Amino acid sequence: MKSPYSNLPERQFWKLAIPNSVNGLSNFYTKRFSIDGKKIATAGSCFAQEIAKGLRKNGYTVVDKEPSPSAIQIRGQIENKFGYGLYSARHGNIYTARQLVQLTKEALGLLFPPPESYIWEKNGRFYDAFRPNVEPNGLSSIDEVISQRADHIMRFKSVLQDCDVFVFTLGLTETWINKQYNLVYPTAPGTIAGNFDSEIYEFHNFSFMEVYNDLTEFFALAKSLNEEMRFILTVSPVPLTATAVNQHILLSSVRSKSVLRAVADEAYQNFEYVDYFPSYEVFSTPFLGPSLFMDNKRNVSRKGVAEVMRIFFSEHKPGNEDHQESVDADQPICEEAMLDAFAGVKK
């Protein structure tokens, strides 16, 4: 008898490919293209911060077009809390593909959000609603927010012009939209700053086609500036903190991650300049030994991050032998986690 499964490699059979622990995974990820010697930009949800740190520690060139001013270059957490050193520009976490397209259109001069659409106030201080966490204490005036944003947009355009590889971590499908201007935010109004008004804002949960169309639009916009740019997609393994959909949080979280994972695969299948790195699968598969999440069942453990980075760098081997994958003890900075404050109990 002949079967199309007769001569397939071991990695394509569950009982042969799934080990007792994650460090036994082999032939799990095969890079589509090399990133050696390339200038790499990173963006996305909180988990993207782990990838940026891993790339730097392994000797890769990670673009940073918005470095911290010398006045706050104290290194580590102080610097990071102001949005510096997390990504290739100071945009903070970008949770949705729509937010990424929005930012890119601003950089290309195709979108000009009016100040009233993105300036939020809290206790007499002013915040950029598109990146509300980069100034934890807000700014002293509306003009200062406008000026900082104009500078940031110029720097993000420079990221797109200069990078060879853009790494983006898809994080969420749920978002809040300004109904008048059709603009999305990384956090709901009233979480960090501003106030929620149902006449101004509405909830939206992106569909597969919406996310896919947004992502492919970003590819086209970015390549209009930099034709040779390539992209690496990942899906954040971190579950939702809260959901605005009237259902159990687990259902919303699985739905969101399923949509994002399907979008990433569709993009990988359709575009040769897109690679997909399966970090999400490592964390979300319960058959690989002890959980790689922390006790709160949401934050990924440092061991889990180390295992994922090991898999990534088994394909993208550091050119400098002095570098090796390592992970620090700091958790990524994540605005979405602030929604825990509305849960009524401390997790």
Side-chain angles (χ1 to χ4, degrees):
M1 294 177 63
K2 290 184 178 180
S3 169
Y5 293 88
S6 296
N7 298 309
L8 296 181
E10 289 186 0
R11 72 175 184 174
Q12 291 180 232
F13 292 94
W14 187 269
K15 76 172 185 178
L16 300 177
I18 302 300
N20 292 326
S21 64
V22 66
N23 58 20
L25 276 177
S26 61
N27 298 314
F28 183 65
Y29 165 61
T30 302
K31 66 184 179 185
R32 173 168 270 183
F33 47 75
S34 173
I35 62 173
D36 292 349
K38 304 298 184 182
K39 290 178 285 187
I40 305 169
T42 63
S45 71
C46 320
F47 189 74
Q49 295 172 34
E50 307 286 9
I51 297 173
K53 287 187 283 189
L55 287 166
R56 289 190 184 100
K57 290 181 178 181
N58 282 273
Y60 285 98
T61 301
V62 179
V63 174
D64 187 356
K65 295 294 184 178
E66 204 164 358
S68 63
S70 57
I72 67 164
Q73 281 186 347
I74 310 174
R75 303 272 82 84
Q77 281 294 304
I78 299 297
E79 186 178 30
N80 292 162
K81 283 181 179 178
F82 286 84
Y84 294 105
L86 299 178
Y87 299 111
S88 295
R90 194 177 170 226
H91 42 62
N93 295 315
I94 298 176
Y95 293 103
T96 64
R98 179 67 57 83
Q99 188 187 346
L100 179 61
V101 170
Q102 190 172 284
L103 176 60
T104 304
K105 285 183 174 179
E106 280 193 82
L108 271 63
L110 302 174
L111 179 66
F112 301 93
E116 63 267 24
S117 71
Y118 69 87
I119 295 180
W120 287 347
E121 186 267 341
K122 178 182 177 182
N123 298 328
R125 305 288 290 180
F126 300 92
Y127 297 75
D128 182 343
F130 297 142
R131 48 180 198 151
N133 210 30
V134 301
E135 290 290 344
N137 303 313
L139 296 171
S140 60
S141 70
I142 290 174
D143 287 344
E144 194 174 1
V145 177
I146 294 171
S147 176
Q148 275 202 12
R149 180 148 197 89
D151 180 70
H152 166 63
I153 293 303
M154 177 186 68
R155 292 173 185 271
F156 184 70
K157 181 176 182 179
S158 181
V159 170
L160 297 175
Q161 290 172 323
D162 198 40
C163 76
D164 302 305
V165 178
F166 193 99
V167 181
F168 183 62
T169 298
L170 294 151
L172 299 175
T173 57
E174 295 191 12
T175 195
W176 291 87
I177 296 178
N178 184 304
K179 293 190 284 188
Q180 179 179 354
Y181 298 107
N182 195 30
L183 297 168
V184 302
Y185 304 99
T187 61
T191 303
I192 293 177
N195 290 292
F196 177 70
D197 183 340
S198 61
E199 296 296 315
I200 300 173
Y201 307 105
E202 67 179 1
F203 172 75
H204 186 73
N205 198 9
F206 289 114
S207 69
F208 170 90
M209 285 308 305
E210 287 177 314
V211 179
Y212 181 76
N213 289 338
D214 285 340
L215 193 61
T216 54
E217 184 176 9
F218 166 68
F219 295 156
L221 291 170
K223 288 176 80 67
S224 73
L225 273 182
N226 185 345
E227 188 176 357
E228 299 303 315
M229 190 188 301
R230 293 183 173 188
F231 308 88
I232 298 177
L233 300 178
T234 64
V235 173
S236 170
V238 180
L240 275 64
T241 300
T243 179
V245 179
N246 185 22
Q247 64 182 17
H248 195 284
I249 181 67
L250 181 59
L251 298 179
S252 287
S253 191
V254 171
R255 184 267 184 195
S256 182
K257 301 302 177 179
S258 299
V259 167
L260 298 176
R261 177 62 183 89
V263 166
D265 184 71
E266 192 73 8
Y268 178 83
Q269 299 298 332
N270 291 340
F271 303 103
E272 54 84 24
Y273 51 76
V274 174
D275 194 7
Y276 173 71
F277 174 62
S279 56
Y280 169 74
E281 287 78 355
V282 175
F283 285 98
S284 63
T285 303
F287 313 107
L288 297 176
S291 174
L292 298 178
F293 286 88
M294 297 177 68
D295 290 342
N296 65 3
K297 301 179 179 64
R298 184 175 183 277
N299 293 110
V300 295
S301 69
R302 308 322 295 164
K303 179 182 185 297
V305 173
E307 291 291 354
V308 165
M309 292 296 100
R310 175 187 62 79
I311 293 169
F312 183 83
F313 291 113
S314 69
E315 277 292 291
H316 297 286
K317 298 186 188 305
N320 186 341
E321 293 184 0
D322 292 336
H323 291 276
Q324 58 181 348
E325 62 265 21
S326 60
V327 179
D328 59 38
D330 295 327
Q331 285 291 334
I333 294 172
C334 189
E335 299 96 339
E336 201 223 355
M338 296 179 181
L339 292 173
D340 259 347
F342 299 91
V345 292
K346 187 176 182 180
K347 299 294 183 184

